[in-house]
Amino acid sequence: LGASRARAMDLAKTIPKCLNDAQISLTTHKRGAKTLCAVRNEDPETFLPTFCNAILPVLLEYKRDVCTERVVRFIVTFCAWREEGMEEDADEFNEAFLGFLLNLHGAKDKAVRFRACQIIAGVLNGLGADAEVSDELYERMTDVMLERIRDKMPPVRAQAARALSRLQDGGETQDFSQDDITQAFVELLGSEKNKEVRKAILGSLAISDYTIPCVVERTRDVAEDVRRIAFLALTSKVPVESVSIAHRALVLRRGLNDRAPMVRSASVEMLKRWLEAFQGDVVKFLTALDVESNESEAELALKELITIGRIKPMDVCKDVELVSKGLKRDIDVDGLMTPEEGLYWRVVLQHLAEASAVKGANSAQSVGQAREIAVAEVGEMIEAMESALPPTAMNLLSIVSSHAKSAEGKFAARQLLPLLKCVDLNDGAIRRGAINLVAEQLHVEPVVNSHGSSYACGGDGKWESALVEIARLVANDSTEFAGLVLDAADSLQMSGTAESLTQALYIAGSLLERTSKRLPSVAAEAVMDSLIKPAVTHSTTAVRRESMRVLGLLLASQGVINPDAVVILRTALSADAAPVRCMAARALGDAALLHGPAALDKYRVLVDPEDEDVTESAFNASLPLEIALMKCLDEEGKPFVFKANAYDLEDVDVEDVDATKAAAAVEAEESVGTVAAESLCKIILRRGEGAFEAAAAVVSRLLGSYFAADAQRRPRLAQCLAVFFPALASGPEDRRRLLADCALPALRAAAKIKGLSRVAALLVQLLTASEEPTASGAELALALANESLALSTKQTPSGAQAPLAKAYTNAIARVLSVVPVKSTRDEVDVAEKVELNDTLTKAWHAAVLAAERTKEKSAAKDLAMAAERLRSNCLATQKTVAPETEGSEGIAVPADDDDLSTQMNDDVRAAVMEYAEELANGADVPFCGSKVKAAKVKAAPAVPTRESRSRASKTAAADKLKDDDLKKPLPKVTPERKSRSRRGALQETN
């Protein structure tokens, strides 16, 4: 008994000493673990309870300070320590110790749950591969940690995820698709809001074909740390062969374009690892990316490899073996270049050309030795380019022609075409050869090709655009350039097929996009008569759509309005297929940006709306442009209709970003309302108040579409409007004035729809975005104050309309309380100062009267604040004052600080009240009208100013103290009179 007691005393000293030493430094952990292992081997039965009691203070510490974390790390080191020959004893202790910690998982104290999960996670991840755990403990840990992974505290969830890392079971297929833990991880990755938990789950997730898409999805996480962990996981855990080609391109595009330096650095490390997987062979790496389908991503990766030094362009160009297989190859012997080789050489040589141009520009501005060094570097770059390029420009053109004539070499030919800019094109022979090549290829009928179809057959049009660009480069002047392209278009148009006509229109549009001067009038008329007019009435939608595109480019490039073009575009907008209408709306919007909507409306065909023979499409074509575009916008749905299942722009799931991007691309071609909204936004931002006759009504309608747009279904529209309104609010005064003018109409339009508070919140944000008030701020304040007063003169409706009416009253008061108004003191012009002062005075009176009459407490508070603010910006009081107190402008300043209602003039008050009653009996104010009963007027206290409120509160507090003292009964017990004086006894009684 004495020996066991002595051992217990030794344990009680040794264990705390080791735990205390562990707090000092990490270097003591190894020695302390050996000491505790030796003590544990001597008395295993007594060691476990003593050790558990010793670490209880650690379990109660929730704060992650340095000392506590060191102790936790020491506990993990000790549990993972396995001396040779004592492995079974260590496994038995770990199983018992983990069972003790599992019993604490349901503790009410968050610190206990957190530390228990942390230690369990550390022990499980620290044990070696030869450690054994019983099936019972394995199942128990799985169940407990799956429960803790949904704990209400994020740190507990994160540690539970770490604990489950080594408990995942791949099953028979080893893809983890049937594992409960993996399925829970996949589910929580998409729903977890805390970034630290997402990081822990992502780091613990087992990698397989089933989970790789989940890791790829996290590369678009909102948190930079989570995105970095995702790229690190793809770097260290996922071999490049296990990632699909689509996912390879996707993660490269996301990572290399990421704005966060830490995320971009992690993606660069992933790119290095992938290149090493192909033994540094860049061409093989490009083959794994499928450059024909993912050209932009492959080019981005090549440029990054050049930036980090994995590809050295000068060394590549000087490598004789590589050059012999590149642009100096013998096509008859070596064959055509692969798409990967074409892209590789194009990027390398373009990099050298751009770098030499930059160095040359810098050398021109340098002097002395710096200039000589820069000139030498430019010379080396040019020499390296000449080493990689064919001996003559004709040889390069021959290589391009050989690839262009082959269906398999089309992609490589497009990559080599820009290299013609790197050679001397002053020779007439090379220019004629290039012109013949372009003419020959542009005259080719549209074909379907697996390596790159023509534009009319579903291609992307990059080959045709590259040919037109080279034609612009080698043509002697713009006339020759236009003649070359239009001749090819006429030749294709003569074929008569829909594909040939579409191809002809596309290359004609490419010409108009690249020409720097107007087309000659003869050429413009030829395009209109021979290409556009026949295509407008074609039966194929694709042909009509392309004709609208070319017509819009022609209208924009010529600089003058073609009446026939305007009529054709307006007719197509009013009645045609959705893709054609979208292109017509875009063309009209661009023309309106250049010439103004009023200039286009001069050429619309007017019809008599009362004529029965007039069709709906003809009537729509005769409407003004803004009305026609807003009718297109109405096709997207009613304004201010808040759909229950609609998404806001910030609520779109990051997992659906690529699907949303695809939806936006389709929306740009199919949604007429979206294109119309984009056109309206551009015109208003460009031309301000002069854009339309009723520009404020257009802005109000766009505001309604902003709240009605579903960001999941119409992401392009939601994004456009989300950018438009902040840009309008931060623009010049005439743009901001539009927001003030549309505020009240927008609130009225949304009055009887649930969600009005969101409209008011956005208006508050937009109206207060700029510190400088607009000239129409006072007018808006007066209109809102009159609206509030008109609402207070009528009874609040009952039933379902009651909450809507209350929300409308509160929204009006809320916007009124923050509307920026210009102070009368800041106005210089005397006449405008008097007018502004009169407007502010009326608004102040209306706000005071509305605050006295309204039944909504929050509205009354906002109205009182608005009244005080309006009064502070108003110089004149409406009281009758002596002439000697007036200022130089005839405006008198009140000197009293009494309640605002006592400063009001009876005449102004009566006029404001009369106007409000007239407004309430009209049809403009929601929840009002001549049939609505008038509200009962109660004697309400005057609206106080800030000084009077403070004075009133102090007086009320003093009166309350007096009342309390008077109401307090006197004690009935007579105080004892021992050695105290009479005065002391009376003080005690009182």
Side-chain angles (χ1 to χ4, degrees), residues 233-394:
L234 291 172
T235 303
S236 59
K237 297 182 179 181
V238 185
V240 65
E241 298 83 3
S242 301
V243 185
S244 65
I245 293 178
H247 281 160
R248 293 171 196 167
L250 181 64
V251 297
L252 280 176
R253 182 176 71 249
R254 290 177 176 177
L256 297 179
N257 288 325
D258 201 293
R259 297 179 181 178
M262 58 188 298
V263 180
R264 197 172 187 280
S265 176
S267 67
V268 171
E269 292 298 324
M270 179 192 69
L271 178 61
K272 293 179 182 177
R273 182 66 63 89
W274 285 6
L275 183 62
E276 292 171 358
F278 295 97
Q279 291 78 40
D281 192 330
V282 180
V283 176
K284 290 183 179 179
F285 168 69
L286 292 176
T287 304
L289 290 179
D290 187 11
V291 297
E292 293 185 80
S293 302
N294 305 298
E295 180 185 351
S296 59
E297 290 81 2
E299 182 178 354
L300 186 64
L302 283 176
K303 291 181 178 179
E304 187 61 35
L305 289 173
I306 293 174
T307 302
I308 63 178
R310 290 301 179 97
I311 298 178
K312 298 180 179 179
M314 295 186 64
D315 294 344
V316 171
C317 293
K318 293 179 180 179
D319 192 326
V320 179
E321 183 179 358
L322 285 176
V323 171
S324 63
K325 295 180 181 179
L327 294 174
K328 291 186 176 181
R329 66 170 57 204
D330 187 352
I331 295 180
D332 297 332
V333 177
D334 300 328
L336 299 175
M337 298 179 70
T338 63
E340 293 78 20
E341 291 174 334
L343 177 64
Y344 176 64
W345 283 106
R346 194 257 295 173
V347 173
V348 168
L349 290 173
Q350 278 189 342
H351 174 79
L352 282 177
E354 294 171 0
S356 61
V358 173
K359 284 284 186 181
N362 293 336
S363 65
Q365 300 176 357
S366 303
V367 294
Q369 187 176 4
R371 181 174 183 176
E372 294 179 0
I373 294 174
V375 170
E377 292 178 350
V378 172
E380 291 180 0
M381 292 179 183
I382 295 176
E383 182 181 353
M385 291 173 60
E386 291 176 349
S387 301
L389 289 169
T392 63
M394 289 300 296

Side-chain angles (χ1 to χ4, degrees), residues 316-620:
V316 171
C317 293
K318 293 179 180 179
D319 192 326
V320 179
E321 183 179 358
L322 285 176
V323 171
S324 63
K325 295 180 181 179
L327 294 174
K328 291 186 176 181
R329 66 170 57 204
D330 187 352
I331 295 180
D332 297 332
V333 177
D334 300 328
L336 299 175
M337 298 179 70
T338 63
E340 293 78 20
E341 291 174 334
L343 177 64
Y344 176 64
W345 283 106
R346 194 257 295 173
V347 173
V348 168
L349 290 173
Q350 278 189 342
H351 174 79
L352 282 177
E354 294 171 0
S356 61
V358 173
K359 284 284 186 181
N362 293 336
S363 65
Q365 300 176 357
S366 303
V367 294
Q369 187 176 4
R371 181 174 183 176
E372 294 179 0
I373 294 174
V375 170
E377 292 178 350
V378 172
E380 291 180 0
M381 292 179 183
I382 295 176
E383 182 181 353
M385 291 173 60
E386 291 176 349
S387 301
L389 289 169
T392 63
M394 289 300 296
N395 295 131
L396 177 60
L397 185 62
S398 176
I399 294 175
V400 175
S401 301
S402 301
H403 286 81
K405 294 176 182 178
S406 172
E408 294 79 7
K410 217 78 166 181
F411 183 87
R414 180 164 63 82
Q415 301 303 318
L416 298 177
L417 269 178
L419 297 183
L420 291 173
K421 300 177 183 178
C422 301
V423 299
D424 186 11
L425 294 176
N426 292 324
D427 187 7
I430 183 65
R431 296 173 76 90
R432 286 193 299 272
I435 289 175
N436 292 334
L437 171 64
V438 171
E440 178 185 355
Q441 292 299 318
L442 287 179
H443 280 78
V444 174
E445 292 290 330
V447 293
V448 178
N449 185 5
S450 59
H451 296 277
S453 301
S454 301
Y455 174 80
C457 298
D460 53 14
K462 292 181 179 179
W463 171 243
E464 292 84 354
S465 299
L467 290 173
V468 175
E469 179 63 24
I470 293 299
R472 186 188 65 82
L473 184 66
V474 299
N476 292 322
D477 52 25
S478 59
T479 303
E480 183 182 2
F481 171 45
L484 174 64
V485 178
L486 292 179
D487 181 62
D490 289 338
S491 176
L492 290 171
Q493 188 264 344
M494 295 299 292
S495 299
T497 63
E499 291 79 9
S500 299
L501 185 53
T502 304
Q503 188 80 358
L505 288 167
Y506 180 76
I507 63 175
S510 300
L511 164 68
L512 294 172
E513 287 177 341
R514 288 166 177 80
T515 183
S516 58
K517 299 180 179 179
R518 295 184 186 178
L519 289 180
S521 58
V522 177
E525 291 176 2
V527 172
M528 189 73 180
D529 296 334
S530 63
L531 284 177
I532 296 176
K533 288 185 177 180
V536 167
T537 57
H538 202 277
S539 59
T540 306
T541 302
V543 175
R544 299 198 305 275
R545 175 195 173 278
E546 202 62 33
S547 68
M548 294 299 112
R549 171 178 170 269
V550 177
L551 186 58
L553 290 171
L554 183 64
L555 191 60
S557 62
Q558 292 304 103
V560 293
I561 300 177
N562 188 331
D564 294 340
V566 175
V567 172
I568 292 173
L569 290 173
R570 291 300 305 270
T571 304
L573 178 64
S574 61
D576 210 322
V580 183
R581 297 179 63 201
C582 287
M583 195 58 67
R586 188 173 289 113
L588 286 170
D590 293 341
L593 278 176
L594 295 174
H595 307 288
L600 297 182
D601 287 339
K602 292 179 181 179
Y603 302 100
R604 56 193 172 107
V605 179
L606 299 177
V607 297
D608 185 5
E610 298 180 358
D611 189 355
E612 297 180 356
D613 296 333
V614 175
T615 61
E616 183 180 359
S617 60
F619 175 73
N620 292 336

Side-chain angles (χ1 to χ4, degrees), residues 49-95:
T50 306
F51 183 76
C52 293
N53 289 330
I55 67 170
L56 286 179
V58 180
L59 300 179
L60 296 174
E61 187 65 34
Y62 186 72
K63 186 178 179 181
R64 304 193 67 171
D65 56 356
V66 177
C67 295
T68 308
E69 293 301 315
R70 286 176 180 171
V71 174
V72 171
R73 187 169 177 178
F74 170 71
I75 295 172
V76 172
T77 303
F78 164 63
C79 294
W81 191 271
R82 295 164 60 84
E83 293 184 348
E84 187 177 356
M86 305 297 293
E87 289 85 356
E88 294 183 1
D89 295 341
D91 292 341
E92 290 179 1
F93 169 76
N94 286 335
E95 187 157 347

Side-chain angles (χ1 to χ4, degrees), residues 782-804:
L782 177 58
L784 292 174
N786 288 332
E787 191 88 355
S788 296
L789 183 55
L791 289 169
S792 66
T793 60
K794 295 292 184 179
Q795 291 185 1
T796 304
S798 58
Q801 296 289 323
L804 298 177

